[in-house]
């Protein structure tokens, strides 16, 4: 046997898995495309026409390196939130920023608290630095604030993750509850408050930005409401010293010139954002109506998807998902115990929701063995 360079003990111990199997991989395996791509929580409505025009105008300049300071985008994001540019760091979507946070605050063996069934990419990054995940079950389809606090105190955790609004259930907490959660955290515990869906939920769910708190990182993305999922661009808002710590390790050329320009233009076109938010709300109502027409229970959502209670156990919901996939409808489902009774359907274009409405009864009948 030939010798090979040794991996670190942390990497050796990790399973060979990834958080998601993308629809493209599924299409390759199936040998045909999906007719309705309503599982990835992208915006089927795409970005603002103003963003598309600007991207087209500058396409010929994309061979150049990006601005490693992300200056224009930081200025735009800072102005949008009423903070200084020293309070903004830009990264390759929230996923890229989560990787940095794990490296910044988690040593091998440290306990990191999250909800059981919450965003798996966070878990992926924590595992990658040797952290020990401590998971708290959801309560009434919400991330349990009291449960998370108890786990942080018990484990003396340096890091806790909370998404609001939540993925995969679509639930949310009002701002006053989030503020109480923050005030109850130990000063030595960093909170990652993932607000990827923040533009799509009620304004009352978003606490005012407070950059005086050195143990809170607020994260936003252009992947959801702004319709730029493929651009891979997001940013974090935090106290200035926290941002300086990001600067020590971030990938300075990781956010492309195109992504930076697109982000600036997206923030500038808030009128278009308002139209998308309205269209997403209408799409949520349509998905909820389709669920109810099939005797299923849609959960209230503040995101660009609706989680649907299939009324049985996880095995049944998995059969429903598989039935829809076999009918060329791409959706996803929660997998954690207690949440796995559900499927999750992203808001799509009208013709995609038409296909979902047409194919759901057959998928349900197949799952029931009818």
């Amino acid at each position: 046997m030939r010798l090979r360079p040794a991996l670190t003990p942390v990497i050796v111990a990790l399973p060979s898995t990834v958080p998601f199997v993308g629809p493209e991989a599924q299409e390759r395996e199936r040998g045909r495309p999906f007719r309705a791509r309503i599982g990835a929580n992208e915006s089927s409505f795409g970005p603002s026409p103003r963003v598309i025009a600007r991207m087209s105008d500058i396409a010929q300049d994309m061979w150049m390196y990006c601005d490693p300071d992300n200056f224009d985008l930081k200025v735009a994001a800072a102005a949008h939130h009423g903070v200084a540019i020293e309070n903004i760091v830009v990264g390759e979507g929230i996923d890229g920023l989560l990787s940095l946070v794990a490296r910044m605050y988690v040593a091998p063996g440290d306990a990191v608290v999250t909800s059981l069934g919450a965003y798996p990419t966070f878990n992926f990054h924590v595992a990658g630095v040797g952290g020990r995940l401590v998971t708290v079950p959801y309560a009434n389809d919400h991330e349990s604030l009291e449960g998370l606090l108890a786990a942080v105190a018990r484990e003396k955790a340096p890091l806790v993750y909370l998404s609001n609004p939540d993925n995969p259930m679509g639930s949310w907490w009002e701002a006053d509850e989030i503020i109480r959660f923050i005030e109850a955290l130990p000063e030595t515990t960093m909170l990652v408050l993932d607000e990827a869906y923040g533009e799509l939920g009620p304004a009352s769910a978003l606490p005012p930005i407070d950059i005086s708190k050195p143990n809170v990182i607020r994260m936003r993305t252009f992947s959801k409401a702004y319709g730029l999922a493929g651009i891979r661009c997001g940013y974090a808002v935090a106290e200035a010293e926290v941002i300086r710590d990001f600067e020590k390790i971030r990938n300075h050329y990781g956010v492309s010139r195109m992504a930076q320009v697109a982000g600036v233009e997206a923030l500038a076109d808030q009128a278009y954002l308002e139209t998308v938010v309205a269209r997403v709300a209408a799409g949520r109502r349509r998905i909820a109506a389709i669920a109810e027409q099939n005797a299923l229970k849609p959960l209230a959502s503040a995101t660009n998807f609706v989680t649907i209670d299939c009324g049985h156990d996880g095995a049944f919901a998995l059969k429903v998902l598989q039935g829809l996939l076999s009918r060329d409808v791409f959706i996803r489902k929660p997998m954690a115990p207690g949440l796995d009774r559900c499927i999750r359907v992203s808001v799509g274009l009208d013709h995609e929701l038409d296909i979902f409405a047409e194919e759901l009864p057959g998928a349900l009948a197949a799952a029931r063995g009818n």
Side-chain angles (χ1 to χ4, degrees):
M1 180 182 295
R2 296 181 63 181
L3 295 176
R4 55 176 293 174
L7 296 170
T8 68
V10 168
I11 301 304
V12 168
L14 292 176
S16 297
T17 59
V18 294
F20 302 106
V21 178
E24 294 82 5
Q26 295 182 47
E27 287 174 333
R28 288 190 293 270
E29 183 176 344
R30 290 154 33 90
R32 66 181 188 276
F34 289 110
R35 292 184 294 142
R37 181 178 167 124
I38 49 175
N41 299 351
E42 305 153 315
S43 174
S44 296
F45 311 118
S48 155
R50 170 175 171 173
V51 173
I52 295 172
R54 180 67 177 140
M55 291 169 69
S56 298
D57 289 343
I58 64 171
Q60 70 276 6
D61 296 327
M62 289 306 103
W63 58 269
M64 289 184 281
Y65 281 124
C66 68
D67 171 12
D69 294 326
N70 305 295
F71 182 78
D72 290 343
L73 182 51
K74 286 170 65 174
V75 168
H80 182 65
H81 292 288
V83 299
I85 63 170
E86 291 79 13
N87 300 115
I88 302 288
V89 64
V90 174
E92 304 94 320
I94 287 178
D95 289 355
L97 294 166
L98 289 176
S99 177
L100 298 179
V101 167
R103 291 170 59 194
M104 289 162 63
Y105 295 104
V106 183
D110 280 352
V112 176
V113 174
T114 185
S115 297
L116 179 62
Y119 190 44
T121 300
F122 175 72
N123 304 356
F124 184 76
H125 291 310
V126 169
V129 297
R132 176 172 58 87
L133 280 166
V134 177
T135 57
V136 175
Y138 278 60
N140 299 319
D141 296 324
H142 287 66
E143 295 195 54
S144 171
L145 300 185
E146 292 304 316
L148 292 169
L149 285 172
V152 165
R154 182 181 69 248
E155 302 288 342
K156 296 180 173 57
L159 185 64
V160 59
Y161 174 88
L162 172 67
S163 59
N164 192 57
D166 169 73
N167 177 21
M169 304 310 285
S171 55
W172 71 97
W173 290 102
E174 291 293 314
D176 57 349
E177 295 291 339
I178 298 296
I179 291 170
R180 278 196 284 270
F181 180 82
I182 292 170
E183 295 295 338
L185 279 175
E187 292 181 348
T188 52
T189 298
M190 177 61 77
L191 166 64
V192 174
L193 184 54
D194 184 342
E195 296 175 324
Y197 300 93
E199 292 83 5
L200 295 162
S204 60
L206 300 177
I209 298 288
D210 180 1
I211 47 83
S212 70
K213 290 284 187 184
N215 67 332
V216 179
I217 301 171
R218 308 274 290 269
M219 292 193 174
R220 297 292 183 92
T221 185
F222 293 100
S223 295
K224 307 303 179 184
Y226 288 106
L228 289 164
I231 285 291
R232 306 314 307 134
C233 188
Y235 59 92
V237 186
E239 190 261 349
E241 186 172 343
V242 172
I243 298 300
R244 286 194 291 273
D245 291 332
F246 272 101
E247 294 292 336
K248 296 175 182 178
I249 61 169
R250 73 177 178 88
N251 180 1
H252 287 73
Y253 285 93
V255 178
S256 72
R257 181 176 292 264
M258 182 70 84
Q260 293 181 38
V261 170
V264 170
E265 292 296 325
L267 287 172
D269 197 348
Q270 292 295 303
Y272 179 77
L273 178 67
E274 291 177 7
T275 68
V276 168
V277 171
R279 294 178 75 180
V280 167
R284 289 195 303 247
R285 291 192 293 271
R286 174 87 192 281
I287 294 169
I290 293 169
E292 289 169 344
Q293 289 160 11
N294 287 273
L296 304 180
K297 179 185 176 183
L299 306 185
S301 174
T303 66
N304 63 352
F305 61 83
V306 176
T307 299
I308 299 171
D309 187 339
C310 292
H312 296 281
D313 60 11
F316 178 81
L318 182 60
K319 290 179 181 179
V320 176
L321 176 140
Q322 292 169 337
L324 286 166
L325 294 178
S326 72
R327 291 163 171 79
D328 302 331
V329 179
F330 169 64
I331 66 164
R332 292 200 191 270
K333 71 179 297 299
M335 298 302 291
L339 311 183
D340 60 354
R341 71 190 194 281
C342 300
I343 57 174
R344 193 195 71 189
V345 182
S346 303
V347 171
L349 299 174
D350 288 343
H351 78 275
E352 293 178 299
L353 297 187
D354 289 342
I355 293 169
F356 173 62
E358 292 165 5
E359 299 296 350
L360 180 59
L364 286 168
R368 293 171 181 143
N370 296 344

